[in-house]
Amino acid sequence: MDTDAAGHHHNTAIVRFVEASEAALMRGRGVSGYFGVVPRVRFEVDFEARLYFGQPVTTQLVLERIGRTSMTFHFEVWGEEFDGCPRQRAASGRYVTAHVPRAGGRAEPWPTAWLTALRATATESCVSDLPGERR
């Protein structure tokens, strides 16, 4: 579903790859209840190379900044060596999330427990892959 007739991924697959890394990062830090209250308020991406059906993909995500009500992430998506082509960066960019609890409808400060879990590792990165793909 993520590839077109030419056999390469649609650009929208990048967002899914990045969100999978974000989920892994939050799970790994013990942050629960995160999804559903963190809309993306800004997303920018530079597409640099194609990703092909069956090609292993690695996504690296770095939490760059934690603000009072928002977080900024940087990401890189790499197509691993495939069918005679070398490993190359397929996309890179940044995005911002905001903490918007369902009842409030407006951005609110991050829960203290989340800040504690995330600030301890704010400069670490998370590398993840979709099922069936390698790191």
Side-chain angles (χ1 to χ4, degrees):
M1 90 178 168
D2 285 332
T3 58
D4 62 17
H8 59 83
H9 283 279
H10 297 290
N11 288 347
T12 57
I14 297 297
V15 177
R16 285 192 331 97
F17 298 158
V18 170
E19 286 181 346
S21 287
E22 184 181 357
L25 176 69
M26 295 306 164
R27 267 193 314 274
R29 303 304 183 263
V31 175
S32 62
Y34 178 80
F35 286 98
V37 297
V38 289
R40 280 93 184 100
V41 295
R42 179 175 176 80
F43 199 99
E44 60 185 57
V45 59
D46 293 317
F47 298 100
E48 302 171 32
R50 292 179 182 173
L51 295 172
Y52 291 92
F53 178 78
Q55 181 178 19
V57 175
T58 302
T59 303
Q60 182 177 22
L61 180 71
V62 176
L63 174 53
E64 286 188 326
R65 178 186 170 279
I66 302 174
R68 190 177 73 81
T69 62
S70 66
M71 288 189 234
T72 303
F73 296 85
H74 175 267
F75 64 88
E76 292 184 353
V77 177
W78 290 80
E80 299 299 336
E81 184 178 340
F82 180 72
D83 201 23
C85 295
R87 180 179 196 258
Q88 60 183 339
R89 189 167 70 180
S92 64
R94 282 188 172 71
Y95 66 100
V96 178
T97 63
H99 179 237
V100 183
R102 290 183 177 135
R106 306 183 94 192
E108 296 182 12
W110 296 105
T112 302
W114 293 6
L115 291 175
T116 301
L118 294 170
R119 283 191 172 138
T121 58
T123 59
E124 293 182 20
S125 63
C126 181
V127 176
S128 69
D129 306 291
L130 292 179
E133 296 172 337
R134 69 173 186 222
R135 291 183 191 211

